[in-house]
Amino acid sequence: MKTINTTVFFLICCLTAFFTLHAQISLAENWPGFRGPTRQGISNEKNLPAQWSETSNIVWKTPIPGEGWSSPIVFGDRIFVTTATDEGASFRLLCLARKTGTVLWNKQVLRQKPGHKQRFNSYASSTPVTEGENVYIVAFDGSIAAVSNEGDTVWMYRDFEYFSEHGLGVSPILYKDLLIVAFDPSSSGPDTKLGWQKPWDKAVILALDKNTGKVRWEGKRGLSQIAHVSPQIMNFGGEDQLISSAGNVIQGFDPDTGQRIWTVSSPGEGVVPSVVVGGDLIFTTSGFGDSAIRVVRSGGKGDVTETHIAWESADDVPKIPSMLYVKPYLYLVTEAGVAKCFEAATGEVIWRERLDGRFSASPVWADGKIYFLSEKGITTVIQEGAEFKVLAENELNETCKASPAISQGNIFIRSDKHLYCIGNE
């Protein structure tokens, strides 16, 4: 009897350890691409720090060479971040150990021609994406590559010659076995206003086989203008749709074939904020010239401009930071520091407040808190909800334009000089 009890006790201990470990692994969330696992700036992590400074709650900080405003991504115990050195000509991918910040490798993926861009952009602004096997990058010149976890180039696609009045800022997404990139360029020819201030038909949404780099389909917008919007996947009626917006248009595509399903007119060019979805609504912004927050009901076929716009607002439209949907509210911050909360379903303004500084980074949400990171390196942490309540203001005193990443109990912030890992001490 004693032997049986000992055996049972041993088995119970083993099972308890197994399920405890499994629960910890389940709670440890990766941040595999721009704006995280849902591409919406939402994290399921708990017990994250709300307060830090240059000397407190900093687990580690690691210098990042070169220049780049891509966000870090995290998968397992590895962090990946891109940068450009040699005055932008050397496009590089770095791999860091998540727990220590040690640089495991720093590899040049390709050489690129550092052409025209706006001063607030960089030669490495596109955030990579990973599924844990390879890391997929988009370079300044439109080159696309898959890089292994050890830094070896698996494949490279360089058939799309990209030019934009702004430079490149769009980030790729993964869907099934496809790598999808929305290229919304402008003309490098005699009339540089083509595609920028004049609509044209040269934009393409490109889907590559993530294993081989071969083109699987090319989606066409029709007439549109310049943009840098990372697309989104939305399920409607049990079927997935690729939601992608650009200058002048918001559109839905079949993600398996690239066939365009519907279009909504959305005047404005130079659109940067990424698409956000919630319920049956699609939250977008238009760009310069006719700026508006434009919210579209999903579904429909063809041109649904007259039937599917749920609400619009021309006030306080962000041009760079993406919006944040946390049911039932839609939050935003403009470049000038206006923070705003809407009733997402109706567009009713719940509150409007002013934050200090200018903003390029997109806000993130975790455990009931919203983190707004300014270009000065100040993160304002507020409580989510109908009341504007500041919980903390945290200074790093370095320039920050990349959006934060959250993974496995830590917040990762890239500045112009370092990558920071922030955690509870």
Side-chain angles (χ1 to χ4, degrees):
M1 190 68 176
K2 182 178 181 182
T3 303
I4 294 174
N5 287 341
T6 302
T7 303
V8 170
F9 178 75
F10 176 75
L11 288 173
I12 290 172
C13 289
C14 289
L15 287 170
T16 301
F18 171 79
F19 285 116
T20 300
L21 178 61
H22 180 74
Q24 290 173 343
I25 292 172
S26 298
L27 291 173
E29 186 177 55
N30 294 314
W31 195 268
F34 182 58
R35 306 207 76 199
T38 63
R39 298 175 291 274
Q40 303 232 123
I42 300 294
S43 171
N44 289 319
E45 296 279 337
K46 304 291 184 182
N47 302 315
L48 293 163
Q51 293 183 311
W52 61 85
S53 69
E54 292 177 277
T55 57
S56 65
N57 279 346
I58 303 297
V59 179
W60 52 257
K61 74 174 184 178
T62 298
I64 302 297
E67 180 188 33
W69 291 125
S70 59
S71 298
I73 62 172
V74 188
F75 203 98
D77 284 335
R78 294 192 169 199
I79 301 171
F80 301 95
V81 65
T82 62
T83 190
T85 60
D86 192 14
E87 299 183 335
S90 178
F91 186 92
R92 311 186 72 86
L93 179 65
L94 282 72
C95 175
L96 292 79
R98 177 181 59 83
K99 294 180 180 179
T100 64
T102 303
V103 176
L104 303 177
W105 48 261
N106 176 350
K107 299 284 185 71
Q108 176 179 280
V109 179
L110 54 85
R111 300 288 294 183
Q112 61 183 6
K113 184 178 180 180
H116 174 77
K117 67 173 180 61
Q118 296 295 323
R119 59 179 177 79
F120 45 77
N121 204 345
S122 76
Y123 291 115
S125 291
S126 174
T127 297
V129 65
T130 183
E131 81 290 65
E133 296 180 12
N134 295 319
V135 181
Y136 304 90
I137 63 93
V138 178
F140 174 82
D141 63 1
S143 299
I144 306 171
V147 182
S148 75
N149 282 331
E150 303 308 317
D152 300 317
T153 299
V154 178
W155 56 258
M156 191 174 298
Y157 175 89
R158 308 197 78 169
D159 292 348
F160 189 91
E161 187 175 348
Y162 182 87
F163 175 86
S164 167
E165 171 63 24
H166 304 146
L168 185 138
V170 68
S171 297
I173 70 168
L174 286 166
Y175 175 76
K176 296 181 179 177
D177 62 347
L178 297 177
L179 180 72
I180 301 174
V181 186
F183 283 129
D184 292 284
S186 59
S187 175
S188 60
D191 187 356
T192 58
K193 292 185 178 180
L194 271 175
W196 171 24
Q197 296 175 341
K198 298 178 182 178
W200 71 345
D201 62 356
K202 303 301 182 185
V204 60
I205 301 176
L206 198 62
L208 305 182
D209 186 310
K210 74 180 183 69
N211 299 306
T212 65
K214 302 296 184 183
V215 176
R216 293 272 290 274
W217 55 256
E218 294 183 14
K220 300 296 185 180
R221 294 199 185 280
L223 292 177
S224 63
Q225 291 175 261
I226 193 172
H228 312 278
V229 181
S230 298
Q232 180 60 283
I233 300 294
M234 182 181 194
N235 189 275
F236 176 76
E239 295 186 358
D240 290 339
Q241 284 192 8
L242 178 75
I243 311 299
S244 180
S245 66
N248 259 13
V249 293
I250 308 162
Q251 297 172 319
F253 295 83
D254 183 329
D256 292 310
T257 66
Q259 180 182 0
R260 189 169 75 241
I261 300 170
W262 56 264
T263 296
V264 166
S265 174
S266 185
E269 54 84 12
V271 189
V272 176
S274 293
V275 175
V276 175
V277 299
D280 65 344
L281 295 178
I282 300 161
F283 304 96
T284 72
T285 67
S286 65
F288 297 91
D290 196 359
S291 302
I293 298 166
R294 191 158 284 114
V295 181
V296 177
R297 286 187 292 271
S298 56
K301 293 184 178 181
D303 190 331
V304 294
T305 305
E306 299 299 322
T307 57
H308 280 63
I309 295 178
W311 60 268
E312 299 173 300
S313 174
D315 298 325
D316 305 317
V317 181
K319 302 295 197 307
I320 299 176
S322 302
M323 297 185 290
L324 181 70
Y325 172 75
V326 183
K327 187 178 180 179
Y329 300 119
L330 180 71
Y331 302 89
L332 63 80
V333 65
T334 69
E335 302 78 70
V338 174
K340 204 166 185 178
C341 173
F342 294 93
E343 180 76 37
T346 65
E348 177 189 354
V349 176
I350 305 301
W351 51 256
R352 180 184 185 274
E353 300 290 341
R354 174 77 63 173
L355 304 180
D356 181 43
R358 294 190 61 82
F359 291 77
S360 290
S362 299
V364 293
W365 175 97
D367 200 14
K369 304 177 186 66
I370 299 172
Y371 298 77
F372 295 101
L373 173 62
S374 79
E375 292 184 3
K376 292 181 179 179
I378 300 173
T379 302
T380 302
V381 185
I382 70 166
Q383 187 71 45
E384 69 161 286
E387 178 186 359
F388 180 77
K389 182 180 180 181
V390 175
L391 303 177
E393 291 184 340
N394 309 306
E395 296 189 28
L396 291 180
N397 290 313
E398 292 186 10
T399 301
C400 297
K401 295 183 181 180
S403 299
I406 299 174
S407 182
Q408 302 177 67
N410 297 118
I411 302 170
F412 299 91
I413 292 178
R414 179 186 190 168
S415 74
D416 59 336
K417 299 175 182 177
H418 296 94
L419 180 62
Y420 287 84
C421 175
I422 298 165
N424 289 311
E425 293 181 341

